[in-house]
């Protein structure tokens, strides 16, 4: 049948079983929005307050559901406003397809109104970027974009379509989406045998779980492995939920703000089994001293990650879940009672602690976990609140912790929460932000209100840029250069002005009633929680230091007394 390019775009979305898109219209993409109008009963469009919000919403939708997130934007500034969200998805391997419309083909390269080479701009932060200037290539390009976004190591793909292509007509016929198979052809028998031998010989094994384990859906296999070989388990920020935070073998996050048990345990182990993690500098600290006592076995779908940041002793390339399934059949049950007892002693000796005499971020997170029983999707922005959310909320399932790990994008969380809620409307969704982050994209509260969905926004309001201030306290001799937010911004009034319910929380005894009241409402609610500006995140490993140099407030006090 003969369809316009705009109609072909919509039909291709329907082919891919896309039910929700996030975006913001403009002149160049008007044909697509007109076609979308005619299919509003099949594809739901969420109008965000800003294109960046649309890209984060598509990202959050993808992380929460495992499906491809889709966002739309017009040419020029509409397209460039997607860039931060696309880079966020790229750094965390999130499957997103961004569809933009450009000026007509005759106007390209002429500095036309709202013209920009968006395909060129995003080239370093996408798996692939396309510009479609010929309608005969449109449908196949879109199909290819979805395949690339989903296959192997997922990631964002951008398709830019000139306006004249969206208006032209061409023959369209329905095609089933290409099957996405797990990466198994790279799994070599000899690599599996080496891995099995290393596991069998280890006396002090440790498992480190990364975001690839979530993407692979390997939770069941990781649990089986940990219990079969009696190995403690730590995770990265992106790996949260791949192994239950309530399991006795779980020791907490690894790295700069990881637990002392995880940081010291990895330093002491004799085998580190790394599942879908890329050895970020925030995890390893000084890469030259990382896990120096251990042999390292890395399992990852992306061969480029092997020996990139940390040299490993052996590796298996392939889908994490499939590798573990094969490996589990090859290894015997192992018991390491002395090692497990040592780890449990460290967990008892080095628990996460905070000041219980005043309202703090950790107290709010613990109350949220207690009230929701851990059955919620938590999104965050970036900073102290993000680390507290990783430390004090126990994630039992994958795809329940959405955060910008690689890029560290302030302003990410609210858009992601909206995307998650649209993708999984049955789940309680909570975004946790600092006041510095909330300022960046708080206009998306208006989007949340328009969606008519229950959503809780918690603002950890300390009137400073908390994590940067913490570094200024520890490493810059208390020189608080431009990190104090001493203005009259009232988040309660602003949120109410956008149509949301909002409450201020200033005391510990107000936290539980406020959270329960908010979660009982079938609409967006903002809790403006005032906490002290000098609260810090501990434990901490200084940037570039070794993991065994991890310290907490107690260590700082002891050091001050000994000086």
């Amino acid at each position: 049948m003969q369809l316009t390019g705009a109609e072909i775009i919509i039909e291709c979305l329907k082919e891919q079983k896309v039910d929700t898109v996030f975006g913001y219209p403009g002149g160049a993409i008007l044909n697509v929005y007109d076609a979308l109008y005619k299919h509003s009963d099949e594809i739901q469009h969420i109008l965000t307050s800003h294109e960046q919000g649309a890209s984060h919403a598509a990202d959050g939708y993808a992380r929460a559901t495992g499906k491809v997130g889709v966002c739309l934007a017009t040419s020029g500034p509409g397209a460039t406003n997607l860039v931060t969200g696309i880079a966020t998805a790229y750094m965390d391997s999130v499957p997103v397809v961004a569809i933009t419309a450009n000026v007509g083909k005759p106007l390209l390269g002429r500095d036309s109104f709202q013209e920009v080479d968006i395909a060129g701009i995003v080239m370093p932060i996408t798996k692939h970027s396309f510009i479609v200037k010929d309608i005969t290539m449109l449908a196949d390009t879109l199909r290819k974009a979805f395949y690339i976004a989903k296959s192997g190591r997922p990631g964002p793909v951008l398709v830019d379509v000139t306006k004249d292509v969206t208006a032209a007509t061409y023959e369209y016929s329905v095609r089933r989406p290409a099957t996405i198979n797990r990466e198994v052809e790279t799994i070599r028998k000899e690599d599996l045998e080496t891995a099995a031998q290393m596991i069998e010989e280890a006396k002090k094994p440790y498992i480190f779980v990364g975001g690839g384990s979530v993407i692979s859906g390997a939770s069941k296999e990781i649990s089986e492995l940990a219990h079969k070989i009696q190995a403690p388990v730590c995770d990265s920020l992106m790996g949260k939920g791949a192994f239950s935070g309530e399991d006795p073998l779980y020791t907490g996050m690894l790295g700069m703000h990881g637990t002392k048990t995880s940081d010291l345990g990895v330093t002491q182990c004799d085998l580190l089994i790394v599942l879908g993690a890329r050895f970020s500098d925030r995890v390893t600290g000084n890469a030259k001293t990382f896990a120096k006592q251990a042999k390292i076995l890395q399992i990852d779908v992306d061969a480029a990650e092997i020996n990139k940041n940390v040299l490993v002793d052996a590796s298996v390339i392939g889908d994490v879940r499939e590798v573990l399934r094969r490996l589990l059949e090859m290894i015997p049950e192992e018991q390491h009672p002395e090692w497990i007892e040592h780890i449990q002693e460290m967990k008892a000796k080095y628990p996460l602690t905070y000041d219980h005499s005043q309202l703090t971020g950790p107290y709010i997170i613990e109350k949220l976990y207690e009230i929701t029983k851990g059955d919620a999707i938590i999104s965050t922005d970036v900073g102290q609140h993000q680390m507290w959310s990783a430390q004090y909320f126990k994630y039992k399932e994958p795809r329940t912790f959405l955060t910008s790990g690689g890029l560290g994008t302030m302003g990410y969380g609210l858009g992601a929460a909206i995307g998650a809620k649209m993708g999984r409307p049955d789940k309680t969704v909570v975004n946790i932000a600092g006041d510095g982050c909330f300022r960046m994209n708080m206009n998306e509260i208006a989007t949340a209100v328009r969606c008519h969905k229950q959503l809780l926004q918690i603002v950890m309001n300390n009137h400073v840029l908390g994590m940067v201030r913490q570094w200024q306290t520890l490493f810059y001799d208390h020189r608080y250069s431009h990190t104090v937010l001493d203005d009259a911004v009232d988040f309660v009034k602003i949120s109410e002005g956008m149509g949301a319910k909002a409450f201020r929380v200033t005391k510990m005894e107000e936290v539980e009633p406020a959270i329960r009241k908010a979660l009982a409402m079938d609409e967006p609610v903002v809790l403006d929680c005032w906490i002290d500006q000098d609260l810090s995140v501990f434990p901490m490993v200084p940037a570039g230091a070794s993991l065994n140099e991890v310290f907490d407030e107690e260590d700082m006090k002891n050091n001050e007394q000994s000086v």
Side-chain angles (χ1 to χ4, degrees), residues 137-158:
M137 304 295 291
L138 180 58
D140 284 345
T141 301
L142 286 165
R143 291 165 183 146
K144 192 180 296 184
F146 276 87
Y147 183 85
I148 292 170
K150 289 187 288 185
S151 60
R153 180 178 180 170
V157 178
L158 179 129

Side-chain angles (χ1 to χ4, degrees), residues 94 152 204 216 261 263 269 304 323 330 367 369 381 397 418 530 536 552 559:
V94 182
K204 298 187 291 182
S216 176
T261 302
D263 286 354
C269 73
V323 171
M330 300 171 63
K367 278 298 174 186
Y369 170 73
D381 281 280
E397 299 174 357
I418 292 168
W530 286 26
S536 293
D552 55 23
N559 287 340

Side-chain angles (χ1 to χ4, degrees), residues 471-492:
W471 281 54
Q472 289 173 332
T473 299
L474 294 172
F475 309 118
Y476 291 86
D477 197 25
H478 302 263
R479 294 186 296 274
Y480 301 121
S481 178
H482 302 287
T483 50
V484 180
L485 307 175
D486 53 350
D487 50 33
V489 174
D490 188 325
F491 293 137
V492 171

